[in-house]
Amino acid sequence: MTLNPDAYTTIDIDKRSDGVTVATLNRPEKLNAVNSAMHRELAALPVDANRDHEVRVLVLTGAGRAFCAGGDFSADRDEPMGGRYLNRMNEARLIVDNWLDCEKPVVCAVNGYALGLGATVALMADVVYIGRSGVLGDTHVNMGIGAGDGGGVIWPMLVGPSRAKYFLMTGEHIRAEQARELGLVQDVVEDDDLMPTALALAERLSNGPLAAISASKVPINKWIKHVSNLVLPLSLSMEEATMSGPDAAEAQAAFREKRQPDYRR
């Protein structure tokens, strides 16, 4: 079974002869915000890449000015926040589980904003580079929603529980240099050097002993998944509950009306 680029509509798949596959989140007009199609494809991509013997290393990045601005809350999104969206909690869990189960090395090149689910997907990678203008943040709380889709798993692992709670409760943005200091990313590189740096590591890994490389990452990911199995069901159920609450409704209305939300009115 191979990773078929034609099966993806929101992610551009570039399979190269050196074993490196570049997957580019490709909704630049929306800052690569996650709609329902991209949500499905983010769950499928690590599985398809893992099964494809031609894929030795996966590089993940975003088209245009951002890696991924999080969930798509725009008025013209492909489906509303209610209804089927709430039924995608299982798919949300699969995104986290499938990236953690991927045995191939995953290198992420964060260009511009990586927020909400975008930050979660980026931080699930094995190695993360960020451009100097890049920004990370789990901004679920800014939309009146709990950080349920993996933020409660990966942020404490990387920055510790106390700092993780601060960033998840405030939705504060983290600039590139601070992200490196906190241990969220491997390194900060100049924006023009971001993809060359990520590709250089990907090529190095692709030319290396892939079985040994995989054997070095898989046990660590199993440890993360052990924590995820404990945390994710609760965090997703709490996120789902907040989605239908008054704070989420007010946040979405404020977003569309380009004003500050008033949660106390």
Side-chain angles (χ1 to χ4, degrees):
M1 187 175 294
T2 62
L3 172 58
N4 180 10
D6 294 334
Y8 288 79
T9 61
T10 67
I11 304 176
D12 180 70
I13 308 295
D14 178 16
K15 296 175 67 176
R16 306 184 176 191
S17 59
D18 59 1
V20 175
T21 290
V22 179
T24 305
L25 307 184
N26 194 26
R27 301 184 73 224
E29 73 285 356
K30 297 288 189 178
L31 298 181
N32 301 316
V34 180
N35 62 2
S36 61
M38 185 179 285
H39 201 261
R40 289 191 295 271
E41 291 175 6
L42 283 171
L45 176 59
V47 176
D48 290 345
N50 207 44
R51 291 172 174 169
D52 191 335
H53 296 299
E54 296 176 352
V55 178
R56 292 178 62 83
V57 181
L58 187 62
V59 176
L60 189 62
T61 191
R65 298 183 294 114
F67 175 75
C68 175
D72 188 351
F73 291 91
S74 59
D76 61 345
R77 59 184 179 266
D78 60 347
E79 66 180 33
M81 280 292 291
R84 187 184 175 279
Y85 190 90
L86 298 182
N87 296 328
R88 288 194 290 142
M89 291 299 103
N90 182 57
E91 192 172 82
R93 179 167 184 175
L94 286 176
I95 291 175
V96 175
D97 285 349
N98 291 349
W99 283 102
L100 290 175
D101 284 339
C102 182
E103 298 179 358
K104 307 290 179 70
V106 179
V107 180
C108 186
V110 175
N111 53 308
Y113 288 101
L115 305 177
L117 179 56
T120 298
V121 170
L123 296 177
M124 289 287 175
D126 302 312
V127 180
V128 184
Y129 293 109
I130 189 170
R132 194 162 298 280
S133 66
V135 177
L136 283 165
D138 194 309
T139 50
H140 283 79
V141 70
N142 296 340
M143 297 306 297
I145 298 171
D149 58 12
V153 175
I154 197 63
W155 283 76
M157 289 274 187
L158 297 175
V159 303
S162 181
R163 282 175 168 168
K165 284 186 284 186
Y166 172 81
F167 287 116
L168 296 180
M169 290 191 300
T170 63
E172 188 171 298
H173 289 184
I174 301 171
R175 306 291 304 185
E177 289 293 344
Q178 185 184 8
R180 176 168 58 186
E181 292 169 4
L182 289 169
L184 287 165
V185 301
Q186 173 70 19
D187 207 355
V188 179
V189 298
E190 297 303 325
D191 291 342
D192 290 343
D193 295 330
L194 178 60
M195 279 305 292
T197 300
L199 288 171
L201 176 63
E203 291 162 6
R204 174 183 172 187
L205 294 173
S206 182
N207 290 325
L210 196 59
I213 290 169
S214 177
S216 299
K217 67 160 273 188
V218 166
I220 297 173
N221 276 12
K222 292 300 182 186
W223 168 57
I224 299 173
K225 191 174 179 184
H226 174 74
V227 175
S228 179
N229 288 338
L230 175 67
V231 173
L232 201 55
L234 176 60
S235 63
L236 284 172
S237 67
M238 295 184 76
E239 178 183 9
E240 182 175 346
T242 61
M243 283 179 180
S244 57
D247 288 346
E250 167 61 11
Q252 291 168 52
F255 179 84
R256 292 191 295 270
E257 296 164 11
K258 295 181 170 54
R259 60 172 175 82
Q260 289 296 315
D262 181 2
Y263 297 117
R264 297 175 63 112
R265 66 180 182 180

